[in-house]
Amino acid sequence: VPAAARLISLIEANEQKAKDVLRLLFPHTGKARVLGITGPPGAGKSTLVRSMIAEYRARNLTVGILAIDPSSPFTAGALLGDRVRMGPHATDRGVFIRSMASRGHLGGITAATPAAIRVLDAMGLERIIIETVGVGQSEVAVAATADCTVLVLVPGAGDAIQTIKAGVMEIADVFVVNKSDRDGAMQTLQEIRMMLQLRSDRGSRAGVLSTRADRGEGVDALVDAIEMHFRTTENSGQLEEFRLRCLKREALDLIGREARRQIVDNLDQRVVERIVESLRRRQLDPAGVAAEVLAAHVHSGDRR
Amino acid sequence: VPAAARLISLIEANEQKAKDVLRLLFPHTGKARVLGITGPPGAGKSTLVRSMIAEYRARNLTVGILAIDPSSPFTAGALLGDRVRMGPHATDRGVFIRSMASRGHLGGITAATPAAIRVLDAMGLERIIIETVGVGQSEVAVAATADCTVLVLVPGAGDAIQTIKAGVMEIADVFVVNKSDRDGAMQTLQEIRMMLQLRSDRGSRAGVLSTRADRGEGVDALVDAIEMHFRTTENSGQLEEFRLRCLKREALDLIGREARRQIVDNLDQRVVERIVESLRRRQLDPAGVAAEVLAAHVHSGDRR
């Protein structure tokens, strides 16, 4: 496990080595089941994740955690050495926690997360939980690449329904109303079920559960629902198809980033100065600049 | 103003026409001052924006609003026809509101927002307010491209300080503690000021203010601070430099997206099938796929 921590740090630090390592690891990945836990700040995602770790460990499954939400205590722990605030799991070798809170990363979390998942997967961890805040576009996209996406909400569903309407709804496989002891829990469950009936595709089959994560209540049923989702989608072939779609999208994103880098690296300094000047004078807009640079690139490609 | 609404809809619907329109508009942009309002859900951003509209209108300045936060009432209003829930501003022709909540857009909000800003700018609106939730990576990035970024927080600063630590801090020019009648407002102000002293660059000059947006309290001082920031950065040349940096980054992003599209559009169907098969068998990872496709593209470029 310390080896994995070093590996992830290496991947974050050195891009070429990262590529080599990930290429070698790739054939050994795909065995872990990946779970995305998302929801608004304050929904109790981290507490829920902690209860889920305990539940999975009780089922004798090893667990990796990737905390992407910057306000997650796992992230805070990770910043202090990956082991703080984990309570009973701090010394359990069947649990591995990693924070992805570092920003400014090339391509951001969308690019960095698949790599980190693969390292945990190749290590042999059987379940990988990604915790993201369910508000940002990139964050929701990351959760959506998980084999099973869990949306965590709290009673008093004005916010909940807004979040749901805003697009997170479409990507969730399991809905959890956490803090189920609060007023309005039943109503929120009802509202979610009603909205789900309007959802055409996988909505009708999505699970809707309530938990009280601070006491571990409902967590066994949640893990059952998640495991059921894994089994159902695996047997129907949907899981493989979905993963392939994610891999293809990842490859396409990399093509875009790589192409951009190659083009930008080969830019003539005089061209750059001319472009900057026409942007400054607002003669050429960014799209015009892009078109001109791409045309020049094709041209120079001809001469190679 | 209805013309602008039609223009933005056109831009969202037809990519080629959008490019043409934006190219023609670009020389007429750069006059508006752009303000990013960001912060966690529940900080009262929308109420604050509403008060700011009133303040700007009292100063005889026209205002455009771009609501990116999907839970913003402006967004909800926009979905119902751009005019709901605006209260006194619903019939004011000096105020124009637009929602950018539609997701799944090519390149997402990062790509769509600059275009929408330019339309409002070319319309002659003098101040443009972008409201984004300050949690997601893309959302924070969008707020960071504004000429002045305002981070809105609430008293009881556990969350506030977490948000700040997580990277939003670096991009804010003005900090607002809203709901200043709540317990702990003074302490939160203190904590922000302390953190700002640790920030090297523009931190020492960032404004820290408190507001009670529901009553409009403190909003005049906030607008003063924002206008001061505009004047200071304009006089020092920082504003022009900053905008040029944003335009360059936008052009680079477009180069990446365009290059990706050109490459993907020209992919041989047999190559695609082979690639998908090697992804499925986990023989080649997404980075390997990207490298192979790019190599093949350079090769085919030679033959052109």
Side-chain angles (χ1 to χ4, degrees):
Chain A
V1 168
R6 277 200 299 274
L7 206 55
I8 295 183
S9 300
L10 180 74
I11 286 174
E12 284 172 355
N14 182 321
E15 213 180 327
Q16 188 48 54
K17 279 208 183 104
K19 272 191 189 171
D20 295 343
V21 169
L22 289 165
R23 182 167 42 81
L24 294 172
L25 289 184
F26 190 64
H28 306 286
T29 62
K31 291 179 207 90
R33 294 285 171 266
V34 183
L35 252 145
I37 308 282
T38 192
K45 294 185 292 297
S46 303
T47 309
L48 189 62
V49 168
R50 222 174 306 208
S51 302
M52 290 172 69
I53 297 173
E55 180 65 26
Y56 271 123
R57 296 302 293 138
R59 296 184 187 202
N60 229 357
L61 288 164
T62 53
V63 187
I65 318 291
L66 282 178
I68 292 170
D69 182 348
S71 68
S72 162
F74 297 119
T75 295
L79 296 176
L80 298 168
D82 272 7
R83 285 295 172 198
V84 183
R85 293 212 223 176
M86 276 313 298
H89 311 298
T91 53
D92 178 353
R93 296 178 61 89
V95 179
F96 182 85
I97 297 163
R98 186 72 198 180
S99 157
M100 306 281 298
S102 65
R103 283 150 184 275
H105 199 288
L106 183 78
I109 55 172
T110 327
T113 308
I117 291 173
R118 263 165 225 149
V119 172
L120 299 184
D121 188 347
M123 277 171 68
L125 292 165
E126 291 157 300
R127 296 293 178 268
I128 299 170
I129 303 177
I130 314 169
E131 183 196 344
T132 78
V133 66
V135 186
Q137 185 168 266
S138 317
E139 288 70 12
V140 170
V142 163
T145 63
D147 299 326
C148 178
T149 303
V150 179
L151 176 59
V152 186
L153 299 166
V154 281
D159 278 358
I161 300 304
Q162 284 294 346
T163 312
I164 286 176
K165 276 189 186 159
V168 192
M169 171 104 175
E170 286 75 8
I171 56 130
D173 302 299
V174 177
F175 292 79
V176 173
V177 177
N178 192 30
K179 307 188 183 180
S180 60
D181 53 315
R182 288 205 191 161
D183 284 349
M186 285 302 291
Q187 199 194 328
T188 304
L189 282 167
Q190 281 299 337
E191 285 172 343
I192 294 169
R193 290 203 180 100
M194 273 172 58
M195 298 214 72
L196 278 173
Q197 289 180 344
L198 302 174
R199 207 175 80 170
S200 49
D201 60 328
R202 48 182 181 174
S204 49
R205 269 175 296 161
V208 184
L209 298 99
S210 64
T211 56
R212 194 170 160 188
D214 57 344
R215 295 190 178 186
E217 287 171 21
V219 175
D220 53 344
L222 170 60
V223 169
D224 280 345
I226 292 165
E227 293 296 315
M228 165 103 93
H229 179 82
F230 288 148
R231 271 195 307 277
T232 314
T233 53
E234 184 169 10
N235 292 339
S236 69
Q238 285 170 295
L239 180 65
E240 193 188 359
E241 197 192 308
F242 172 75
R243 285 179 165 190
L244 199 56
R245 214 158 52 227
C246 292
L247 288 172
K248 275 159 70 179
R249 196 184 310 125
E250 189 187 337
L252 291 178
D253 286 344
L254 285 170
I255 288 171
R257 270 208 302 286
E258 270 299 314
R260 166 183 157 161
R261 189 168 59 179
Q262 287 180 12
I263 291 167
V264 172
D265 284 355
N266 291 323
L267 274 181
D268 187 322
Q269 199 49 42
R270 283 166 307 179
V271 175
V272 172
E273 278 164 30
R274 192 165 47 73
I275 282 169
V276 169
E277 198 47 36
S278 46
L279 280 174
R280 188 194 303 276
R281 292 165 184 258
R282 303 215 167 221
Q283 292 164 332
L284 201 61
D285 73 342
V289 167
E292 195 170 294
V293 168
L294 282 164
H297 179 73
V298 167
H299 189 69
S300 77
D302 284 344
R303 281 181 285 135
R304 253 182 242 166
Chain B
V1 167
R6 276 200 300 274
L7 206 54
I8 295 183
S9 300
L10 179 73
I11 286 173
E12 284 171 356
N14 182 322
E15 214 179 327
Q16 187 48 53
K17 280 209 182 104
K19 271 192 188 170
D20 295 344
V21 169
L22 289 166
R23 182 168 43 80
L24 294 171
L25 290 183
F26 190 64
H28 305 285
T29 61
K31 289 179 208 90
R33 295 285 170 266
V34 183
L35 254 145
I37 308 282
T38 191
K45 296 184 292 294
S46 303
T47 309
L48 190 62
V49 168
R50 220 172 308 205
S51 301
M52 289 171 69
I53 296 173
E55 180 65 27
Y56 271 122
R57 294 304 292 139
R59 296 184 187 202
N60 229 356
L61 288 164
T62 53
V63 187
I65 319 290
L66 282 178
I68 293 170
D69 182 347
S71 69
S72 162
F74 296 119
T75 295
L79 295 176
L80 297 169
D82 271 5
R83 286 293 170 197
V84 184
R85 294 213 221 178
M86 276 312 298
H89 311 298
T91 53
D92 178 354
R93 296 180 61 91
V95 178
F96 182 84
I97 297 162
R98 187 72 199 180
S99 158
M100 305 281 296
S102 65
R103 283 151 185 274
H105 198 287
L106 184 77
I109 54 171
T110 328
T113 308
I117 292 174
R118 263 165 225 150
V119 173
L120 299 184
D121 188 346
M123 276 172 68
L125 292 166
E126 291 158 301
R127 298 292 178 268
I128 298 168
I129 303 179
I130 313 168
E131 183 195 346
T132 78
V133 65
V135 186
Q137 187 167 265
S138 317
E139 287 69 12
V140 169
V142 163
T145 62
D147 299 327
C148 178
T149 303
V150 179
L151 176 58
V152 186
L153 300 167
V154 280
D159 277 359
I161 300 303
Q162 284 295 346
T163 312
I164 287 176
K165 276 188 184 159
V168 193
M169 172 104 175
E170 286 75 8
I171 57 129
D173 302 301
V174 176
F175 292 79
V176 173
V177 177
N178 192 29
K179 307 188 181 180
S180 61
D181 53 316
R182 287 205 192 161
D183 284 350
M186 287 302 291
Q187 200 194 327
T188 304
L189 282 166
Q190 281 299 336
E191 285 173 342
I192 294 170
R193 291 203 178 98
M194 274 174 58
M195 299 213 71
L196 278 174
Q197 289 182 345
L198 302 173
R199 207 176 81 169
S200 49
D201 61 327
R202 48 181 180 174
S204 50
R205 268 175 296 163
V208 185
L209 298 101
S210 65
T211 57
R212 194 172 160 187
D214 57 343
R215 294 191 181 186
E217 288 172 21
V219 175
D220 54 343
L222 170 60
V223 169
D224 280 346
I226 292 165
E227 292 297 315
M228 165 103 90
H229 179 81
F230 288 148
R231 271 195 306 277
T232 314
T233 52
E234 183 168 12
N235 292 338
S236 69
Q238 284 170 294
L239 180 65
E240 193 189 0
E241 197 191 308
F242 171 75
R243 286 179 164 191
L244 198 56
R245 215 158 52 227
C246 292
L247 288 172
K248 276 159 70 179
R249 195 185 310 124
E250 191 187 336
L252 292 178
D253 287 344
L254 285 170
I255 289 171
R257 267 207 305 285
E258 271 298 314
R260 165 182 158 163
R261 190 169 56 177
Q262 287 180 12
I263 292 167
V264 172
D265 284 355
N266 291 321
L267 273 181
D268 186 324
Q269 199 50 41
R270 281 165 308 178
V271 175
V272 172
E273 276 164 32
R274 193 164 48 72
I275 282 169
V276 169
E277 198 46 37
S278 47
L279 280 174
R280 189 195 300 276
R281 291 165 186 257
R282 302 215 168 224
Q283 292 163 332
L284 201 60
D285 72 343
V289 168
E292 196 170 293
V293 168
L294 282 164
H297 179 72
V298 167
H299 189 69
S300 77
D302 283 346
R303 280 183 287 137
R304 253 181 244 167

